[in-house]
Amino acid sequence: MGQNDTAWQALFEKYGILRSIQSSGFFFISASQIKEFREPRLMTKFDHRVNLPVPFSENRLAILPVSRSEYMISTFNAYQQFEDSSNVPTQRVKIPSYIQSLMPKFLVSEAIALNYANACGILSDFLEDSSIVPTVSGRMGSGIFSFDIDSQTGKENVSVHNSQIEIDAAYEGTKYLSLFEAKRDISEDFLVRQLYYPYRTWSDRVTKPVKTIFLVFSNGIFHLYEYKFKSLMDYNSLQLVKQKDYIISTEITKSDIEQLFKAVAVEPEPNLSFPQANSMARIINLIELLAEHPMTKNSITEKYAFNARQTNYYTDADRYLGLIEKFHSQDGNIIFQLSRLGRHIMSLDYRERQLAIVTQILKHKAFHDSLEICLRTGEIPDKNKVIEIMKSSNLYQVGSDSTFFRRASTIIRWITWIMELIN
């Protein structure tokens, strides 16, 4: 169990939180009560459902701030799944040639990513507004409002009195005020409060319509979602208005991939688990996050949209590619950090970084031989052919047919990612 799990378990026991919720439907807890066991800022920030501590996840609970010093716990439906992105419109973008300080390798924060999106014309295109300028951002008070939210027992009414909100960016044009929540970690869902509280706050302060935009940036791709709330008073009334991806152009050609394929020498398999991590986007996202600083296994699981099993899968995948290292701290924590190679790759320009990651993949026979079929036939090999290649690749501790079958999905997904790099 992580530190949040342990601390919340102690709070639930000390204050009889679950009994109170079962009898009255909710429980109010103060920041000072939470601080008895751990800092409130660490104990109340759960951006994704998977981050919720065990007492919350086991009892289908969530927590919302109602003031600067008090929180409400109930069976709230506080999160929203991101929509399927398989058929999302995609547009390639380039930074203007005269801009030198916004190179893709320097996009190390949400604020800088937003500046890049603005400089590339992404924001004006997506917002469909003219003369947009950055306006309010940062932490501020919410003012006073109330709303209804879905719970297991029906609609729950929540009153908010000057809670702290944070807006990553706001852009105002001639027609709209657009409020942004920006993230650098890829996830399956998000906390609706991050859009709803700013929306309620600023809907009372301006007369023009307020748009709420969620932006996720990782590995040169800007994923933008525009949501609207059908009812001002209903937290769960949000609907997706539109969704679009913008990709920084790499100018990688099929010839580049073919030349790289011929140049890479296959190496012996490492004594590491063969990857079971299908999302190359999340593999790269993890090294982007570790580029800021090393992290414990628990902090990766608590802060980002990973459960404990996914943390194992994706850290193992990055270790397999030689991009990160694992070691134990003096207090027994498992620490992950970028390897020397990982730091070098993260320092490269965007195009070269992508090709360097492809190089690390192709050093492994199962991936190298699978890509060879793809380049020769123009088609991704099927699972049976991939398994045949795997069985001739001397993989570490992969023996049963069921394991070969599961791992083959990773090969197919990674090869597909390589081919999708081609402009």
Side-chain angles (χ1 to χ4, degrees):
M1 292 178 67
Q3 289 178 287
N4 277 341
D5 298 310
T6 303
W8 272 111
Q9 190 70 54
L11 280 165
F12 268 61
E13 292 173 1
K14 179 173 180 178
Y15 292 105
I17 293 174
L18 196 55
R19 290 193 303 274
S20 177
I21 292 172
Q22 289 169 343
S23 63
S24 62
F26 56 84
F27 182 84
F28 289 101
I29 189 166
S30 68
S32 59
Q33 287 173 314
I34 296 172
K35 197 171 183 178
E36 294 172 18
F37 294 91
R38 202 174 185 217
E39 281 296 322
R41 63 183 177 83
L42 302 174
M43 289 276 281
T44 58
K45 183 175 170 57
F46 310 123
D47 290 348
H48 314 289
R49 188 178 281 108
V50 72
N51 301 138
L52 288 168
V54 170
F56 286 81
S57 58
E58 286 184 344
N59 297 287
R60 299 174 64 185
L61 302 174
I63 184 169
L64 293 172
V66 293
S67 72
R68 289 183 180 269
S69 59
E70 192 172 37
Y71 302 84
M72 185 176 180
I73 302 172
S74 185
T75 58
F76 296 135
N77 179 18
Y79 296 87
Q80 172 77 13
Q81 288 286 121
F82 279 117
E83 285 71 15
D84 176 45
S85 60
S86 56
N87 295 310
V88 173
T90 301
Q91 181 175 323
R92 294 189 181 271
V93 295
K94 285 185 178 181
I95 195 77
S97 58
Y98 64 89
I99 301 292
Q100 298 180 2
S101 59
L102 283 177
M103 302 302 291
K105 67 179 179 180
F106 300 137
L107 303 186
V108 296
S109 72
E110 289 85 355
I112 298 174
L114 280 159
N115 288 340
Y116 189 100
N118 193 24
C120 286
I122 291 172
L123 299 189
S124 58
D125 178 76
F126 188 78
L127 297 177
E128 299 177 334
D129 204 352
S130 57
S131 303
I132 62 170
V133 295
T135 57
V136 294
S137 64
R139 296 175 180 175
M140 61 194 74
S142 68
I144 299 173
F145 59 85
S146 64
F147 61 90
D148 295 327
I149 182 172
D150 294 344
S151 73
Q152 289 183 30
T153 56
K155 288 287 187 182
E156 192 84 55
N157 186 261
V158 178
S159 295
V160 177
H161 294 265
N162 203 33
S163 172
Q164 181 174 277
I165 63 171
E166 185 166 4
I167 297 174
D168 290 326
Y171 292 86
E172 186 169 353
T174 56
K175 294 184 288 185
Y176 309 104
L177 172 63
S178 299
L179 307 177
F180 279 77
E181 176 67 23
K183 297 290 184 189
R184 292 180 59 225
D185 60 308
I186 295 172
S187 61
E188 296 177 354
D189 63 14
F190 64 93
L191 180 60
V192 177
R193 174 181 63 78
Q194 295 173 322
L195 295 181
Y196 185 73
Y197 279 29
Y199 168 74
R200 285 299 307 271
T201 300
W202 282 95
S203 292
D204 289 339
R205 297 178 182 179
V206 297
T207 57
K208 63 181 61 174
V210 176
K211 287 186 174 185
T212 53
I213 314 293
F214 211 106
L215 181 151
V216 181
F217 171 76
S218 177
N219 194 35
I221 305 177
F222 296 83
H223 308 273
L224 276 84
Y225 307 79
E226 180 188 341
Y227 290 94
K228 71 174 181 179
F229 292 90
K230 291 194 301 179
S231 171
L232 183 74
M233 291 287 294
D234 192 341
Y235 179 101
N236 299 108
S237 67
L238 79 168
Q239 283 188 335
L240 181 69
V241 176
K242 66 175 179 177
Q243 180 180 359
K244 190 172 181 179
D245 289 350
Y246 298 82
I247 301 176
I248 299 173
S249 181
T250 61
E251 299 181 357
I252 292 175
T253 65
K254 184 179 180 183
S255 176
D256 292 323
I257 300 298
E258 290 172 335
Q259 291 178 25
L260 199 61
F261 170 80
K262 294 174 183 176
V264 172
V266 173
E267 298 178 352
E269 280 292 292
N271 292 336
L272 293 170
S273 298
F274 191 81
Q276 185 176 335
N278 287 357
S279 173
M280 182 54 64
R282 299 201 77 180
I283 289 168
I284 297 174
N285 189 221
L286 180 56
I287 63 172
E288 290 178 324
L289 300 173
L290 288 173
E292 297 177 15
H293 52 77
M295 285 190 285
T296 66
K297 178 181 175 180
N298 283 340
S299 66
I300 293 172
T301 304
E302 288 182 355
K303 293 182 180 180
Y304 300 105
F306 289 91
N307 59 37
R309 179 176 291 183
Q310 288 173 321
T311 298
N312 288 335
Y313 287 160
Y314 283 93
T315 53
D316 283 351
D318 275 318
R319 291 175 64 219
Y320 178 83
L321 293 175
L323 303 176
I324 70 174
E325 300 169 334
K326 179 174 80 170
F327 63 94
H328 289 81
S329 63
Q330 291 183 345
D331 57 6
N333 282 320
I334 298 174
I335 309 290
F336 294 99
Q337 67 180 14
L338 290 187
S339 64
R340 180 180 296 180
L341 174 65
R343 290 194 299 273
H344 168 70
I345 288 175
M346 291 303 293
S347 72
L348 297 174
D349 288 334
Y350 180 59
R351 180 180 185 277
E352 284 66 35
R353 185 176 88 176
Q354 303 294 73
L355 293 174
I357 293 170
V358 174
T359 297
Q360 292 307 110
I361 295 172
L362 295 183
K363 288 180 179 179
H364 300 274
K365 184 178 185 299
F367 294 93
H368 185 276
D369 291 1
S370 297
L371 181 65
E372 189 275 332
I373 293 174
C374 185
L375 292 174
R376 177 165 46 84
T377 66
E379 296 182 355
I380 304 293
D382 63 27
K383 200 168 255 190
N384 290 331
K385 184 59 181 177
V386 170
I387 291 172
E388 181 184 323
I389 292 170
M390 293 171 72
K391 289 183 174 180
S392 68
S393 300
N394 194 31
L395 304 182
Y396 179 69
Q397 292 186 345
V398 179
S400 69
D401 286 344
S402 61
T403 304
F404 277 111
F405 187 84
R406 289 195 303 272
R407 302 300 196 269
S409 296
T410 293
I411 294 179
I412 291 170
R413 293 288 291 274
W414 290 18
I415 296 303
T416 301
W417 175 79
I418 292 173
M419 297 306 295
E420 288 175 347
L421 293 177
I422 297 170
N423 274 5

